Amino acid sequence: LFFFFFKQKTAYEMLRSLVGSEMCIRDSNEGEASVLDSPFVQTLNSNAQKWAPALRMTILLMISILAVVVRVFSVIRFESIIHEFDPWFNYRTTQYLAKEGVYGLWNWYDSESWYPLGRSVGGTVYPGLMVTSASVYWVLHQLSIPVDIRNVCVFLAPVFAAFTSIAAYLMTNVITKRPEAGLFSALFVAIVPSYMSRSVAGSYDNEGVSIFALVFTFYMYLKAADTGSLLWSCGASLAFFYMVSAWGGYAFIINIIPIYIVAVFLSGNINNRLYVSYTVFYVLGTIYAMQIPFVGFQAIHSSEHMASHGVFIFLQVYMFINWIKQYITKSAFKALTRLVIFTFVSLLVLGFLYLTFTGKTKWSGRSLTLLDPTYAKKFIPIIASVSEHQATTWSSFFFDLHYLVMFTPIGLYYCLKKPSEGKLFAAIYTVLMVYFASVMVRLLLVLAPAVSIMSGMGVSYLIRFLIKNLKNALKSSKKQSSKYNVPSEFSVVGILLISYLVCTYTFHANIAGAESYSHPSVILATRDQQGNRLIIDDFREAYYWLRQNTKPEAKIMSWWDYGYQITGFSNRTVLVDNNTWNNSHIATVGTAMASSEEDAYEIAEKLDVDYVLVIFGGYSYYSGDDINKFLWMVRIGGGVFPHIKEEDFYGSGQYRVDGQASQTMLNCLMYKLSYYRFDEVKTDYWKPAGYDTVRQTEIGNKGYKLRRFEEAFTSERWIVRIFKVKPRENRDGLYIRSKGVINYPSDTATFKEGSSLFTNHKYSTKVVPPKKRKTITVSTCLLYTSDAADDLLCVDLGGRRIIKKKKY
Amino acid sequence: MKKKKALNTYYIAVPREYDQFLALILVRDKNNKDIVPVRIQDNSVQAQYNATIYKVDLTHYVESNQEEQLIITETYFNRMSALPKKITIFEDQNVEIYDNPHFFSPYPTEKSQTTYKLASSPIFYTEEDATAKGGNIEYGPYRNDGAFTRSKIRLHFENTRPFPVFKNVTRVIEVSHWGNIAIEDFYKLANEGAELTGEYNKVDFNKYTQHTGKNSLKNLKAKLPYNSWGVYYKDEVGNISTSRAFRDSASNSVDMTIEPRFALLGGWKSNFYIGYNLPAKYTLFVEKADPTNYYLRQNSGLIFKGIMAEEFTIKVILPEGATEINYQFPFPLNEVSEEKSFSYFDFEGRPTFVFKIKNVVDYHDQTFTVNYKFSQNSIIREPLM
């Protein structure tokens, strides 16, 4: 705790000094003859001017250091470990890459995931992140610095955050030509909480490097558009290539730039510089994008790229017409223009419609969700189930961006007041991202650089304006200009207020970074009654048990959230993991969890499952457990296997686990495994045995035995429970299927109902006759904290799976 | 024992079926020196008497008609096995052992007597020639046994303690002439007691109670050198937070208690690392007459007492530029090899010696020395880069 405060204070102090020095530069840049013509002020002024570049670089360096330092809370308070879910896959892939080399990764067929399918990793990842850290690793090893690959992975994101702030500085500089605005932007982006949430040390995810790539590509492109230089355009397409290699979010770039071109065209300012920069960027960028195996020809035919194709063709035609203009009469030109525009537009629309309806081009589920925010909720529960894909609330806007939300409109105002091409770009970028960020909470991340740049511009504009007023007021009355006539009291108060807001922002960002976003989520920390810090290490305890005490070829069935962690920590084969490309496989696991013990056993047998792993928080107040996520298993399972019905799991119209829960709920595998023998323990002195601390209720099904599963391991605080799938007993092959439960769809029952010799089937589900549909108050169901693979933006969910159009 | 003429060699016989479990034999004569006998490759004797012969060179000659007292200590491992082989978490662990109660020797024996000290009163013991007093069972006295006399007894008794064994231990000792010796041990721990069968039963089995899973391995105690600092305890997936260590001046050591990530029930395994640093001034010595001549003195035993390591590898990484490397071990080694290792800013590699010892027990807790020449000037080379 002490350390934390210490950190916070330094950051705060450093920033305040930054703000001070900012003003210094601003003063100096203007360099007007002041009333304060004293030699001291003059020397100060000229000195400041002389030292400004050095000062600027020093400040930028300090911001970069700050960006790194503020992100290592997690290492200091926990340890150097990979966080959360997806980073574990990236880490494992990086380890493989570092060991086997690029070709090794290309050809890697990972049999540990997606059993029995396996996964061809080389062709289904954006390799940018892994290649970056493996390159760092190789270079350091060449220099005889034998760092651990894990440490490279852990500290990559903070280092790239520093790069991002430099890129933001450069970009704002290009837009406004004002370094102070750039410095503000750099400062804002360095510590903006929404970006920090994905780039703290250990958060080894694609976004960690790709936010830098995004900002840097924009910077390069703006530079190219500004100069019309081929070199910068090539640079921009190279930066774009890096972005494509790192993250599916490159679709934003390939759409924002064409939209920007169209906007410039509409404002009538299209010129040769833009033409050159866009043409070069588009051609090279598309070709580069196709080099990534995972993108390949999608760069041509996917809907996300259509805008860029259209704008490219349009620009060529427009330039051609302009060229022809020189040679024909005005009236002929007018007619020609009309004709060409009409044909062009109709061709484009027709072509697009044709492609869409014939299915030549497809929208991915996520893109559709972005265009129609209700789409996922209606059709793709797997996307809707991820908490990051929810619509953003105001509170998260404010928590993740804080005062930048206030500064951004000022920046936008400034952009509109003195418009230029660069400012137009920034405005378009910001406005589009505000929309996307409102649709999906995770896209706050992409909004963060936009609002930081906007805020940088806004704040610096405001301060400059106020200082000019102040100076004006200090001048002798003769020289005073009427343009700046705000009373100096207002100016002083305004400057103080802005400084205060900026300081508060840094404060808030620090607290958010340290308190909210620096938890590895595989290690939990709490405090005991004496206030000592207590590490809850159940996940690693159980994962390590799997690693040490199961046979190496064991297959683990768990909900998909834990797939990457199990392969990473335990080195064991899993059925499903956080990559969501095979929805029906996930649905099978969901179905198994939602089925009765017998039915689940059959599914487990068919999939060669050796162990079932469930996360259970009812013993130790851990609310992120499987029972809370269970409705999603039901929904996703039910999306493919219609005999799983969500309403069967509601008791008295509510999702509950107590005595009033439905029979289906009380007898499903997830329930039985989570609460196995839980009724024999007391979690609270005053409460009855079997009191679930998360659901705050006494469980409804007590005293049952498991027939097909056997408890193999339960961690210290019960958070991870592992059950062994028992082998079939002798003469156990004959059994009856529970009535009314259709099983695995591919399998037509070998034993027809009633044909069995053994009918003493105690464990069959009591099938609740389908009730009349009543309005169900959809109770809160925990959303996944996991990220449904970023790899998805281009992989099509809709085509490969059957989406049952089911209303929930 | 009476001998006809002065001699200084003595032979020890070990039944061949037990020889493979023999970790160590030590012989102590009247000079109070431990002698490690040498195994003799004599197939004819082995085949004839089904015995393995060890030869001891005593420190002095024994005249004829003089008596000499020898204390022979034989340390075995894996001789006890759980019976039943698998138990549930509620059951207590029983073990059985077979042995030869006669003094097994290539010489005739006038009188011998064997006492077995068991953990508890036996469930079963071979009753012939035996007197049982609680957990102590005496066989004999046997009189005038001929050479290689043997018989077989069986003891079956309760022993609820865990059977921890290190399947493999690798110690890396990295010497820095900047004043630090970094030591990291990698342990592959197994509990070789009766295997767990049936359910884990979290409700009944708790790490901190004694009623169930009595043969589970819950913690281990280690003694690190008194001056060690920067102690860490981790495994392949990161830090393990369940360990305590304090400097105990009474026992002149750092006492460390570790708990594995999970309590090891019978048949379970776990790997972990323990690392610590030692200030070089206590273990790295320089010769006064020749300041380039260094002596590294290090412990050649495990930091855990009473637990055997089946394989123990010690890697000594000397600084880059060390030459004329010699080593002295107080006991014979199974294998020695040399390699290069690379650390920060190493280009030619650090000379590394790999010593392999099998079946390491408490006896190996001694000091070995590595002696090398190293010019003090070459330590500033790396910081300069």
Side-chain angles (χ1 to χ4, degrees):
Chain A
L1 200 72
F2 167 73
F3 197 79
F4 161 61
F5 274 120
F6 169 70
K7 273 254 140 51
Q8 209 174 26
K9 207 159 183 182
T10 44
Y12 172 61
E13 232 121 71
M14 194 147 85
L15 292 170
R16 199 160 49 180
S17 68
L18 285 183
V19 175
S21 46
E22 287 284 321
M23 291 174 184
C24 226
I25 305 169
R26 228 162 287 114
D27 272 341
S28 64
N29 272 355
E30 294 309 317
E32 299 168 16
S34 154
V35 184
L36 305 168
D37 278 335
S38 67
F40 171 69
V41 173
Q42 296 236 316
T43 352
L44 195 73
N45 225 337
S46 65
N47 268 344
Q49 226 152 27
K50 204 160 65 189
W51 287 101
L55 204 58
R56 218 175 286 148
M57 286 307 116
T58 316
I59 294 167
L60 194 59
L61 182 71
M62 281 164 76
I63 292 175
S64 309
I65 293 170
L66 170 73
V68 176
V69 166
V70 80
R71 282 171 170 79
V72 295
F73 279 118
S74 57
V75 173
I76 293 162
R77 306 173 116 201
F78 292 92
E79 57 184 275
S80 165
I81 191 175
I82 305 293
H83 292 193
E84 302 213 307
F85 304 97
D86 282 15
W88 272 97
F89 169 75
N90 301 330
Y91 173 50
R92 190 163 153 258
T93 314
T94 310
Q95 280 178 313
Y96 192 88
L97 175 62
K99 217 173 91 205
E100 307 285 334
V102 178
Y103 288 106
L105 178 67
W106 235 232
N107 299 323
W108 185 23
Y109 197 83
D110 176 22
S111 56
E112 280 197 0
S113 50
W114 287 95
Y115 184 83
L117 307 170
R119 172 180 180 181
S120 150
V121 178
T124 56
V125 286
Y126 289 104
L129 177 74
M130 298 90 179
V131 171
T132 307
S133 24
S135 310
V136 171
Y137 175 77
W138 288 326
V139 166
L140 288 178
H141 271 247
Q142 282 305 310
L143 295 173
S144 279
I145 305 172
V147 287
D148 191 13
I149 185 77
R150 190 195 66 232
N151 284 327
V152 175
C153 294
V154 165
F155 291 103
L156 192 76
V159 171
F160 267 79
F163 294 163
T164 307
S165 46
I166 294 171
Y169 167 78
L170 293 172
M171 183 172 162
T172 317
N173 229 347
V174 172
I175 294 173
T176 59
K177 313 279 187 293
R178 284 188 187 281
E180 67 271 21
L183 286 175
F184 267 116
S185 306
L187 171 67
F188 289 145
V189 83
I191 55 173
V192 61
S194 79
Y195 178 34
M196 257 201 285
S197 71
R198 285 314 193 91
S199 61
V200 294
S203 181
Y204 180 57
D205 214 342
N206 292 338
E207 290 92 329
V209 296
S210 52
I211 292 300
F212 160 72
L214 179 91
V215 179
F216 196 65
T217 311
F218 284 154
Y219 158 66
M220 293 285 245
Y221 181 74
L222 282 177
K223 198 80 186 172
D226 213 33
T227 57
S229 123
L230 278 176
L231 189 68
W232 282 105
S233 313
C234 293
S237 39
L238 275 176
F240 177 65
F241 174 56
Y242 183 64
M243 177 73 187
V244 179
S245 76
W247 193 34
Y250 75 88
F252 294 122
I253 299 184
I254 204 66
N255 284 307
I256 286 173
I257 291 179
I259 290 172
Y260 161 65
I261 300 286
V262 170
V264 176
F265 174 76
L266 291 178
S267 68
N269 291 325
I270 197 88
N271 53 38
N272 285 337
R273 286 180 283 116
L274 274 176
Y275 173 70
V276 169
S277 65
Y278 183 74
T279 312
V280 173
F281 172 77
Y282 166 78
V283 173
L284 285 182
T286 310
I287 292 173
Y288 284 147
M290 289 170 71
Q291 305 311 308
I292 303 297
F294 192 37
V295 178
F297 273 94
Q298 290 191 30
I300 302 288
H301 62 64
S302 96
S303 304
E304 280 89 356
H305 290 262
M306 284 302 160
S308 66
H309 306 328
V311 169
F312 174 70
I313 299 167
F314 176 73
L315 265 189
Q316 304 308 317
V317 173
Y318 179 76
M319 283 304 180
F320 180 68
I321 292 171
N322 264 5
W323 179 69
I324 283 186
K325 197 178 174 182
Q326 302 167 14
Y327 301 100
I328 54 174
T329 60
K330 240 181 183 174
S331 57
F333 175 72
K334 256 184 189 166
L336 186 69
T337 316
R338 240 175 260 148
L339 181 72
V340 167
I341 287 182
F342 179 73
T343 3
F344 179 74
V345 169
S346 43
L347 268 182
L348 213 62
V349 170
L350 280 178
F352 183 71
L353 287 179
Y354 169 75
L355 289 175
T356 310
F357 282 107
T358 53
K360 292 262 165 55
T361 178
K362 277 179 221 140
W363 291 93
S364 73
R366 262 191 224 185
S367 308
L368 282 177
T369 312
L370 282 183
L371 298 178
D372 170 12
T374 57
Y375 179 81
K377 207 161 252 170
K378 277 188 259 172
F379 302 119
I380 314 178
I382 205 161
I383 288 187
S385 72
V386 177
S387 61
E388 296 165 333
H389 294 168
Q390 303 309 303
T392 317
T393 56
W394 274 112
S395 60
S396 47
F397 260 112
F398 190 71
F399 186 80
D400 275 357
L401 303 173
H402 204 239
Y403 287 139
L404 299 190
V405 174
M406 282 165 55
F407 295 145
T408 305
I410 303 170
L412 277 173
Y413 166 74
Y414 169 63
C415 284
L416 296 177
K417 194 165 167 255
K418 293 177 181 170
S420 71
E421 282 169 23
K423 284 174 193 159
L424 182 64
F425 182 87
I428 289 173
Y429 173 35
T430 311
V431 171
L432 282 177
M433 282 307 142
V434 167
Y435 168 71
F436 288 135
S438 318
V439 175
M440 254 191 210
V441 70
R442 75 184 303 206
L443 293 181
L444 271 177
L445 183 70
V446 196
L447 175 65
V451 292
S452 299
I453 287 164
M454 250 334 152
S455 305
M457 284 164 22
V459 168
S460 84
Y461 162 72
L462 256 189
I463 292 185
R464 197 165 55 244
F465 177 74
L466 292 172
I467 287 203
K468 272 186 188 155
N469 278 307
L470 200 59
K471 272 187 181 171
N472 199 34
L474 289 174
K475 277 180 199 163
S476 57
S477 49
K478 272 180 269 170
K479 289 183 188 169
Q480 274 183 7
S481 79
S482 55
K483 213 170 131 196
Y484 301 109
N485 46 13
V486 176
S488 50
E489 294 82 15
F490 279 161
S491 308
V492 171
V493 169
I495 290 168
L496 286 178
L497 185 70
I498 291 171
S499 314
Y500 170 74
L501 291 183
V502 172
C503 291
T504 319
Y505 168 73
T506 63
F507 244 130
H508 170 81
N510 267 292
I511 292 169
E515 293 291 321
S516 306
Y517 295 134
S518 289
H519 298 287
S521 96
V522 281
I523 313 170
L524 309 166
T526 181
R527 296 197 180 276
D528 65 7
Q529 282 157 349
Q530 282 82 43
N532 299 317
R533 195 153 170 271
L534 213 61
I535 295 286
I536 297 178
D537 218 351
D538 277 41
F539 287 99
R540 281 195 293 181
E541 180 189 346
Y543 290 150
Y544 201 62
W545 179 85
L546 276 177
R547 186 189 183 112
Q548 293 288 339
N549 294 303
T550 58
K551 46 184 199 315
E553 63 278 7
K555 281 102 200 165
I556 320 289
M557 178 163 89
S558 72
W559 192 230
W560 57 282
D561 285 19
Y562 317 106
Y564 281 159
Q565 288 183 351
I566 294 172
T567 43
F569 276 116
S570 314
N571 199 18
R572 291 292 178 269
T573 307
V574 292
L575 298 189
V576 289
D577 59 34
N578 310 46
N579 185 311
T580 44
W581 51 259
N582 189 333
N583 183 53
S584 57
H585 211 45
I586 294 181
T588 310
V589 173
T591 307
M593 296 298 191
S595 305
S596 68
E597 198 188 337
E598 285 298 326
D599 295 334
Y601 182 65
E602 251 183 78
I603 297 176
E605 250 189 341
K606 276 178 187 142
L607 291 171
D608 291 350
V609 175
D610 297 291
Y611 294 92
V612 182
L613 182 145
V614 295
I615 304 294
F616 171 64
Y619 184 80
S620 50
Y621 300 88
Y622 177 66
S623 59
D625 69 351
D626 277 347
I627 292 283
N628 273 0
K629 290 173 184 172
F630 183 56
L631 271 188
W632 289 110
M633 303 185 203
V634 173
R635 283 174 197 160
I636 292 168
V640 177
F641 302 92
H643 69 276
I644 302 290
K645 293 186 189 66
E646 190 180 343
E647 55 265 29
D648 292 346
F649 291 85
Y650 288 110
S652 319
Q654 266 187 329
Y655 177 66
R656 57 203 308 164
V657 297
D658 58 6
Q660 291 187 53
S662 74
Q663 284 301 313
T664 320
M665 178 70 199
L666 294 179
N667 287 301
C668 70
L669 183 71
M670 176 52 71
Y671 190 98
K672 281 191 155 180
L673 295 189
S674 290
Y675 291 117
Y676 178 62
R677 295 193 70 193
F678 184 63
D679 52 314
E680 294 171 44
V681 289
K682 275 175 90 86
T683 47
D684 192 330
Y685 183 75
W686 301 105
K687 298 283 195 260
Y691 184 78
D692 184 327
T693 55
V694 173
R695 264 68 57 177
Q696 299 281 323
T697 175
E698 195 184 339
I699 60 168
N701 191 355
K702 290 181 168 184
Y704 56 86
K705 294 261 178 290
L706 293 174
R707 183 176 171 211
R708 299 300 194 179
F709 299 88
E710 182 181 85
E711 186 184 4
F713 188 78
T714 296
S715 63
E716 181 76 33
R717 288 176 182 80
W718 289 57
I719 291 178
V720 187
R721 307 198 73 181
I722 301 170
F723 290 82
K724 197 178 168 173
V725 180
K726 279 202 217 167
R728 255 184 208 287
E729 291 150 29
N730 203 9
R731 305 216 304 176
D732 195 23
L734 301 175
Y735 56 91
I736 184 172
R737 249 160 238 281
S738 5
K739 208 176 177 184
V741 178
I742 314 146
N743 255 290
Y744 212 55
S746 62
D747 178 83
T748 44
T750 333
F751 293 95
K752 293 261 159 50
E753 245 173 62
S755 71
S756 167
L757 300 170
F758 295 84
T759 46
N760 55 342
H761 189 185
K762 279 190 284 187
Y763 297 90
S764 67
T765 323
K766 278 187 197 162
V767 177
V768 186
K771 290 174 206 153
K772 274 187 291 172
R773 271 197 86 101
K774 48 185 171 185
T775 40
I776 292 163
T777 43
V778 178
S779 42
T780 46
C781 175
L782 189 86
L783 296 160
Y784 297 45
T785 41
S786 157
D787 170 6
D790 313 305
D791 332 58
L792 255 188
L793 218 79
C794 283
V795 169
D796 189 74
L797 271 172
R800 274 192 216 169
R801 36 174 239 110
I802 317 143
I803 307 170
K804 298 275 180 235
K805 296 203 174 179
K806 207 163 165 282
K807 296 238 163 72
Y808 290 104
Chain B
M1 281 164 271
K2 287 175 182 169
K3 312 285 151 158
K4 289 270 159 64
K5 66 177 190 190
L7 46 80
N8 75 332
T9 49
Y10 179 72
Y11 292 94
I12 299 170
V14 174
R16 207 153 61 146
E17 63 269 30
Y18 302 142
D19 185 55
Q20 53 177 320
F21 303 117
L22 186 65
L24 180 77
I25 311 188
L26 285 181
V27 178
R28 180 169 289 199
D29 63 8
K30 72 172 182 194
N31 290 352
N32 244 350
K33 267 196 84 174
D34 282 332
I35 308 157
V36 182
V38 186
R39 183 193 198 140
I40 293 182
Q41 300 295 344
D42 186 345
N43 291 333
S44 60
V45 177
Q46 284 196 11
Q48 197 180 340
Y49 301 106
N50 201 16
T52 309
I53 307 294
Y54 288 84
K55 181 186 170 197
V56 190
D57 291 314
L58 300 179
T59 50
H60 60 102
Y61 278 86
V62 181
E63 297 301 321
S64 64
N65 292 335
Q66 267 199 330
E67 277 196 13
E68 169 77 14
Q69 190 182 341
L70 297 178
I71 300 169
I72 304 171
T73 318
E74 297 172 9
T75 312
Y76 291 95
F77 61 95
N78 278 356
R79 286 279 299 276
M80 275 196 289
S81 55
L83 183 77
K85 290 253 178 283
K86 294 184 175 187
I87 55 171
T88 67
I89 208 155
F90 302 103
E91 287 172 307
D92 292 337
Q93 173 178 271
N94 297 329
V95 293
E96 66 169 350
I97 185 169
Y98 290 94
D99 197 30
N100 169 22
H102 294 272
F103 181 63
F104 193 66
S105 162
Y107 310 101
T109 309
E110 276 184 7
K111 183 187 167 192
S112 73
Q113 189 174 12
T114 309
T115 307
Y116 295 91
K117 293 184 176 170
L118 308 182
S120 64
S121 306
I123 301 162
F124 173 86
Y125 64 97
T126 310
E127 284 177 14
E128 197 187 345
D129 304 323
T131 0
K133 285 176 206 152
N136 286 6
I137 304 188
E138 260 179 40
Y139 282 89
Y142 298 104
R143 288 179 194 282
N144 299 321
D145 282 346
F148 299 113
T149 307
R150 68 167 101 199
S151 65
K152 197 172 190 181
I153 58 143
R154 173 174 173 267
L155 302 167
H156 187 203
F157 55 98
E158 184 185 287
N159 185 346
T160 55
R161 300 229 323 257
F163 286 13
V165 171
F166 294 122
K167 306 303 273 183
N168 197 326
V169 182
T170 308
R171 172 171 298 171
V172 179
I173 302 172
E174 199 172 339
V175 179
S176 158
H177 276 248
W178 291 93
N180 189 44
I181 314 284
I183 299 168
E184 183 176 89
D185 289 358
F186 175 63
Y187 295 91
K188 287 189 172 175
L189 175 66
N191 181 359
E192 298 203 327
E195 279 179 38
L196 173 73
T197 180
E199 286 202 319
Y200 176 74
N201 286 301
K202 179 71 193 173
V203 175
D204 304 293
F205 176 65
N206 187 320
K207 226 198 263 190
Y208 304 103
T209 58
Q210 301 295 324
H211 314 299
T212 48
K214 287 183 196 166
N215 70 337
S216 64
L217 185 61
K218 288 158 185 164
N219 54 41
L220 292 171
K221 288 189 170 57
K223 276 194 191 303
L224 307 183
Y226 183 72
N227 295 303
S228 40
W229 60 278
V231 182
Y232 58 85
Y233 170 45
K234 63 169 189 178
D235 60 20
E236 291 107 315
V237 299
N239 189 40
I240 310 173
S241 56
T242 46
S243 66
R244 290 175 300 280
F246 66 95
R247 213 180 295 276
D248 184 6
S249 42
S251 70
N252 198 30
S253 64
V254 170
D255 291 350
M256 188 177 183
T257 309
I258 59 159
E259 283 175 18
R261 270 202 195 279
F262 43 88
L264 268 73
L265 287 160
W268 286 9
K269 291 177 291 182
S270 192
N271 300 349
F272 59 87
Y273 292 89
I274 289 181
Y276 53 98
N277 296 287
L278 288 174
K281 59 180 173 182
Y282 299 111
T283 52
L284 187 63
F285 303 98
V286 61
E287 198 176 309
K288 278 235 173 67
D290 177 9
T292 60
N293 200 6
Y294 286 91
Y295 292 90
L296 173 75
R297 286 192 216 288
Q298 279 289 324
N299 196 311
S300 55
L302 301 179
I303 55 174
F304 296 95
K305 298 290 165 268
I307 304 179
M308 197 196 77
E310 291 183 1
E311 279 174 19
F312 185 31
T313 308
I314 302 177
K315 266 190 189 183
V316 180
I317 303 176
L318 298 173
E320 200 171 26
T323 49
E324 294 174 46
I325 304 153
N326 299 303
Y327 54 89
Q328 295 95 41
F329 269 81
F331 44 79
L333 297 167
N334 290 78
E335 201 187 316
V336 181
S337 58
E338 209 186 328
E339 57 184 47
K340 296 269 181 201
S341 37
F342 292 84
S343 181
Y344 295 97
F345 300 115
D346 288 337
F347 289 95
E348 29 186 287
R350 306 187 176 200
T352 303
F353 271 76
V354 184
F355 307 107
K356 285 195 174 153
I357 317 163
K358 282 203 169 131
N359 302 331
V360 173
V361 291
D362 288 356
Y363 162 77
H364 294 93
D365 192 6
Q366 298 183 39
T367 305
F368 71 93
T369 309
V370 176
N371 161 237
Y372 58 93
K373 289 214 185 259
F374 181 73
S375 153
Q376 197 61 39
N377 298 333
S378 52
I379 71 163
I380 56 164
R381 189 172 61 88
E382 288 188 353
L384 284 180
M385 292 198 318

